[in-house]
Structures are given as structure tokens and as C-alpha cells.
Amino acid sequence: MQIVGELTLLSLLIGGVIMAGGVIIAKIAKLLFHKYYAPSLPKDTAQNISKLIYFGILIISFLGFTSSQGIDLSGIMVAGGIFAVVIGFATQSVVSNLISGLFLIVEKPAKHGDTIELPDMGISGTLLDIGTFSSKVRRFDGTVTRIPNEKFFTSNIRSLTLSTVRRADATVGISYQSEIDHAILVMKNEILQTMPFVLQIPEPEFRIEELGESSVNIHVYVWHPRDDWSNTQPILLNTLKRALDKSGIEIPFPQRVIWTGKD
């Protein structure tokens, strides 16, 4: 039965079957992807690929539907191309964010759950998601910041969880009357005895940083497993001070000698 032009009841039936089949295939492909491949991928990457698969199959089904109805899309495509150029100029930032999001998914500078720092923007926290147009970071104060993908991609990204070990450091000053080698030995022994999460290889490192106005400043470096940062950095200074106090090594405060010019 002919309805309009070349459009018939049979062609509509065939088109309906094509669209229904496309939806079913898209859902099955999405389910199979989530079951067999998504678990091995980062969460945000798996979500984006799943969307591409689903909507890609739907678009192909729609093209098959229009072809089955004998619809000529050349004119629509030309008009759509012109419209796309106009929209492209008006939404450059949107397109830039979309492309940057794809690059982030491919390059994977960080993944869902990583602790990161963006020094250029003064943002640090846990990466929650890399979306199509923006990424979300939960800061250490509990707030969530949305970052356009273009800025996220072009900024310096410092990952705090990519490496399995991290380094903590602190600076402590001792008096000029104290023996430097003895002070270092005392601090090293205290670290190894009271901070079991500090690695012995590489061992704690001590560097004479400065001969200051009132003290000899020693910079202390210790390595520890990535997840023990909260057990290391906050108590390192406390451990160093306790070691020096036990040995009677003075941690001097600033002193000034005043010359009156009369002598």
C-alpha cells in the first residue's frame, strides 16, 4: 500500500524493524561491553566508550531506516553542514572541551579515584570523573569542583597516587655547638625505631641545607608507601624533635647580638 511518494506500508514496516533491531542490538552491545570489557577499564573511560557504542549503533540504525524509506539526505546533509559550521564557530569552547575529553580518555594522565594536584589552578583532591565536556575533582575539604576538559588537559597534572612510594621531608635546625654527625645518627635511629612505615631502602637521607644565622639547618628526606602519607608527613617533625630532645641536642631560636658602637 502506497502512502506518500515511494513511502509504502511495507517500507515503514521494514524501517520499524530496522530501528527496533538497532535499539535491541545497541542495548545488547552495551551490556556485553559492561560485562566483559568495562571491569578492566577506568570507570570514566568505560562510561564514555559505552555511550559511544550505544549511540553509534543508533545512528547507524537511523541511517539504515532513512535508506529503506528512499529518503534523500543529500540536501539535509548540505544544510546540516552549513548549520554545523555556524554552530561550530559559536561553540568553539564546547568543541574544544569535547576533543580534550577524548584526548584525556586516550592518554589517561589520571584515572577515577586518583589523588591529583593542578598547580596552575591551585586545585588538589580526588578525581571523580572525566566526562564528555568537563571533569570533577573532590577537594580535601569535601567540595566538588567542575573543571572544563580544555583547562584540565592543558594544565600541569601532578599525580599523588601514580607512584607506589612517596617522599616526605622536613627541615630541622641544631645549634652550632652540636655535633652534626651525632645529631643525624640520633634522628635516623629514632625514625627507624618509631616509624615502621618508613622504608629502609632507600634509607632516610640527611642534607645540610644551610648554615643559618642561629642554627645549622638539616633537611630530612624519608620514603614511604603511597598510602602511608597520613602516617608519615604529619609526625615527621615531631619524631625529629623528640630524638633531639632525648639526646640533649639544642634546637636554637633566633638570637641577635646588639652592638651599641660605644666600645
Side-chain angles (χ1 to χ4, degrees):
M1 181 183 296
Q2 189 171 1
I3 300 176
V4 177
E6 297 181 0
L7 188 62
T8 63
L9 184 60
L10 179 60
S11 65
L12 280 177
L13 181 61
I14 294 174
V17 171
I18 292 174
M19 285 301 302
V23 172
I24 294 173
I25 293 173
K27 289 185 177 181
I28 293 175
K30 186 177 179 179
L31 289 174
L32 291 176
F33 173 78
H34 279 286
K35 182 177 181 179
Y36 295 104
Y37 298 101
S40 62
L41 297 174
K43 183 178 179 181
D44 48 2
T45 302
Q47 289 177 348
N48 288 310
I49 294 177
S50 174
K51 292 178 183 177
L52 289 174
I53 292 174
Y54 183 77
F55 290 107
I57 294 175
L58 289 184
I59 291 173
I60 294 173
S61 300
F62 177 74
L63 293 176
F65 168 76
T66 56
S67 177
S68 68
Q69 305 307 307
I71 300 174
D72 186 9
L73 297 179
S74 58
I76 298 176
M77 293 179 65
V78 171
I82 297 173
F83 181 73
V85 171
V86 174
I87 294 297
F89 280 110
T91 60
Q92 293 183 41
S93 60
V94 175
V95 176
S96 179
N97 287 327
L98 175 61
I99 295 175
S100 297
L102 294 175
F103 285 152
L104 287 170
I105 293 172
V106 173
E107 185 182 356
K108 300 177 184 177
K111 63 180 183 296
H112 174 79
D114 281 358
T115 302
I116 61 171
E117 180 182 356
L118 306 175
D120 300 340
M121 292 182 278
I123 296 174
S124 58
T126 303
L127 180 63
L128 297 180
D129 178 52
I130 298 179
T132 307
F133 300 103
S134 63
S135 301
K136 296 181 180 65
V137 175
R138 183 177 62 233
R139 299 196 183 196
F140 296 124
D141 61 2
T143 59
V144 176
T145 301
R146 174 185 174 276
I147 307 169
N149 281 338
E150 180 184 10
K151 292 185 177 180
F152 188 78
F153 181 71
T154 56
S155 66
N156 294 320
I157 302 174
R158 182 187 179 198
S159 175
L160 304 181
T161 55
L162 188 60
S163 176
T164 56
V165 296
R166 290 182 58 186
R167 190 183 71 183
D169 62 281
T171 301
V172 63
I174 63 174
S175 65
Y176 277 91
Q177 288 75 28
S178 301
E179 177 65 36
I180 295 177
D181 292 337
H182 176 60
I184 290 176
L185 180 62
V186 165
M187 291 188 288
K188 182 178 180 179
N189 289 338
E190 185 71 16
I191 290 173
L192 296 178
Q193 291 173 9
T194 62
M195 301 177 69
F197 30 79
V198 169
L199 301 180
Q200 298 187 22
I201 300 176
E203 63 180 3
E205 184 178 352
F206 301 83
R207 298 179 186 175
I208 307 303
E209 184 182 65
E210 180 187 17
L211 299 177
E213 295 182 357
S214 305
S215 63
V216 178
N217 296 325
I218 303 175
H219 208 128
V220 183
Y221 302 91
V222 296
W223 291 90
H224 57 87
R226 175 187 60 201
D227 298 331
D228 286 328
W229 184 90
S230 59
N231 294 326
T232 305
Q233 186 67 50
I235 67 174
L236 180 57
L237 275 174
N238 182 51
T239 302
L240 297 175
K241 184 178 185 304
R242 183 172 62 246
L244 296 177
D245 289 344
K246 286 182 180 179
S247 301
I249 299 174
E250 179 187 3
I251 301 177
F253 52 86
Q255 303 178 33
R256 295 289 185 272
V257 176
I258 301 176
W259 179 62
T260 62
K262 294 182 180 180
D263 298 333

